[in-house]
Amino acid sequence: MIDISESVMQFLLAFLLVGPLLGAAAALLPAPPGLRGKSPDQAVLRHGVTVTGAVLVAAIVLALGFDHDQPSKMQATTDISWIPALDVRIHLGTDGISLPLLVLTALLTFLSALHTYFKPPAGPSPKAFVALLLVLESGTLAAFAVLDLILFFLAFEMVLIPMYFLIARWGGEGRVEAAWKFVLYTLLGSVVMLLGLLLIGIKAGTFDMVALATDNGRSLTVSVQIIAVLAIGIGLAVKTPMWPLHSWLPDAHTAAPTVGSVLLAGVLLKMGTYGFVRILLPAAPDGFRTFAPYLAAFAVVGIIYGSLACLALAKEGAKGDLKRLIAYSSVGHMGFVLLGIATMTPTGVNGALFANIAHGLITGLLFFLVGALKDRTGTVDLDALSRLSSGLRSATSGSAVPGRLPAGAALYGRAPRLGGLLAFAAVASLGLPGLAGFWGEMLALFGAFDPAAGLSRPAFLVFMSIGAFGTLLTAAYLLVVVRRVCMGAPPEQAPALTDVRGHEFAAWTPLVVLTVVTGLWPGALIGLTDPAVQQLLTGGTR
């Protein structure tokens, strides 16, 4: 770690939020003659890589300058009055809970911009694409850095418009309907959430998250807390997404371009679970305790539902879309995050935060790999990839259709590095010990084994058992996917497949390395989050 002054830390955190917005504005301007390269499109794509790279460097320096001996302390803080009449302040800061999410967001956005530079999106001008990508990054980073309820709501909503256009303008089949579904679900949830945030702020006399966490709900009656948790929780649950408010997610992922899916799964879903930890747990603990068993019940239903949906998509003859399968897997994985939060214990909440980061790394890698597979084969249909699609046989007669070749069987033999990476991401996602996916799920289940005081232990033991069964189902569908896509002998007439390219290797390597490092050294991440979690759960008394 390095010694950086507080003023520089404040500048770095402010730059994370403002830098992408300035970059978005610059992306829409004509490129200077000396920076145009081969074409204006190449110049703006390079601009996206440059800006997101600068933001990533700032995030890394911020992490290096962070005082790891005091991770529960808000650092790099800025506190400026914005709307005095409402006591709304531009209050920024980071602690051990938000810092990993800031770095993850900066990393995935940079890798998305790098992917876009070498594989430009099919659709309208790249200028708008890069500008929207940068606005999306700014809004996501702001959600993890602001410490005012109103600013959090604004950041929470800020990401909707760029993600809508990324899906609607650069997505695949059914993109407009999927984009509208995404926006409408989130907006309806956000309206209710805003009412809950205003209720807490007005009744407590402050919108400041730090003050609310320190107060720990003492200035709010139990009835106010219950209403606030219900209202805010609905909005956060939609974004998470929690079953049964998840139905927008598979359509959005299926239609979104590759980088849209990476960012949607990798960071946008984390805004919901982060809100549960940052706002509801410390500000309304009594109200949260009332709903915790129901949250845990919805979480484990989501775990089982997501796994069964994936098994249905993975079976032969189902014409399962691989992107859709990974989207449903996110419903299950985020169920473990919600289960950990519902335990209201340091063990469970730390597991939830760890699972957040692990899911961002692993699922981001999976969507990159599936995008590469689609680029090479033209399909992500599992039957086509395993030589069982109707493209090989006539739907009416069952006879072979001339001129149609298998889209991508036996990936190990035809593109061994790509096949090996897909298998690696799959086993990481199923929670193989030694990789990042293991620790979050295990800690969430441990938290359910001994929930917080006031929660029914028998009920949580049932939830723990259901969640543990969900891990078996997760392993089942992911191993089926690996068997169907990667294994087998290559067909004699199979078209050649290009293995991992140089830019793909550069974009995917950080995710692979971090998946291994966090799996082998979980204490690095838990050491950051645990003191901050302990302080949140006790109202700053530790």
Side-chain angles (χ1 to χ4, degrees), residues 121-129 132 165-172 175 255-257:
S125 166
K127 275 192 172 188
F129 188 94
L132 291 168
F165 282 109
L166 288 176
I167 297 173
R169 301 298 299 276
W170 289 272
R175 58 185 183 270

Side-chain angles (χ1 to χ4, degrees), residues 35 82 127 172 190 203 344 363 376 411 458 524-525:
L35 297 177
W82 183 35
K127 275 192 172 188
S190 297
K203 292 294 184 179
M344 299 184 70
T363 308
R376 288 158 170 78
L411 199 59
L525 185 55

Side-chain angles (χ1 to χ4, degrees), residues 113-397:
L114 186 65
H115 175 275
T116 302
Y117 179 76
F118 289 98
K119 183 67 179 177
S125 166
K127 275 192 172 188
F129 188 94
V130 170
L132 291 168
L133 189 69
L134 292 172
V135 172
L136 182 69
E137 179 180 35
S138 178
T140 311
L141 288 169
F144 299 136
V146 298
L147 297 173
D148 184 276
L149 293 181
I150 302 301
L151 287 184
F152 176 81
F153 176 79
L154 294 177
F156 198 83
E157 297 302 291
M158 180 178 172
V159 303
L160 294 184
I161 300 304
M163 182 53 72
Y164 167 82
F165 282 109
L166 288 176
I167 297 173
R169 301 298 299 276
W170 289 272
E173 185 178 353
R175 58 185 183 270
V176 176
E177 294 82 358
W180 272 112
K181 197 172 185 179
F182 162 72
V183 168
L184 290 177
Y185 262 78
T186 310
L187 275 179
L188 290 174
S190 297
V191 170
V192 183
M193 184 177 76
L194 177 60
L195 297 177
L197 294 173
L198 292 174
L199 178 63
I200 285 183
I202 292 170
K203 292 294 184 179
T206 181
F207 290 100
D208 187 87
M209 294 184 190
V210 177
L212 290 168
T214 303
D215 182 68
N216 205 219
R218 285 183 283 269
S219 62
L220 301 174
T221 65
V222 174
S223 59
V224 167
Q225 290 189 36
I226 289 174
I227 295 171
V229 169
L230 180 61
I232 298 172
I234 289 174
L236 297 175
V238 171
K239 185 65 73 75
T240 297
M242 181 187 77
W243 180 92
L245 303 174
H246 69 284
S247 60
W248 61 268
L249 183 70
D251 292 339
H253 272 309
T254 303
T258 296
V259 298
S261 293
V262 169
L263 294 175
L264 181 58
V267 292
L268 262 68
L269 303 189
K270 312 306 178 285
M271 295 168 66
T273 52
Y274 175 79
F276 277 107
V277 175
R278 177 66 75 192
I279 299 172
L280 292 186
L281 268 179
D286 295 329
F288 194 90
R289 189 173 289 105
T290 301
F291 287 104
Y294 303 102
L295 179 63
F298 284 127
V300 296
V301 170
I303 293 171
I304 301 300
Y305 172 83
S307 299
L308 291 177
C310 290
L311 280 171
L313 289 169
K315 71 179 182 180
E316 295 182 0
K319 298 183 181 295
D321 186 293
L322 194 49
K323 286 186 72 175
R324 195 173 190 86
L325 185 147
I326 298 171
Y328 273 111
S329 78
S330 292
V331 176
H333 288 305
M334 299 311 289
F336 282 102
V337 177
L338 292 173
L339 177 61
I341 295 171
T343 68
M344 299 184 70
T345 63
T347 301
V349 176
N350 277 305
L353 295 172
F354 197 103
N356 256 347
I357 301 300
H359 180 264
L361 295 172
I362 297 168
T363 308
L365 177 61
L366 276 170
F367 277 117
F368 272 133
L369 291 167
V370 172
L373 193 59
K374 185 174 184 179
D375 290 340
R376 288 158 170 78
T377 65
T379 183
V380 286
D381 183 286
L382 273 169
D383 287 342
L385 292 171
S386 57
R387 295 179 293 163
L388 293 172
S389 74
S390 59
L392 302 177
R393 300 272 175 190
S394 168
T396 55
S397 66

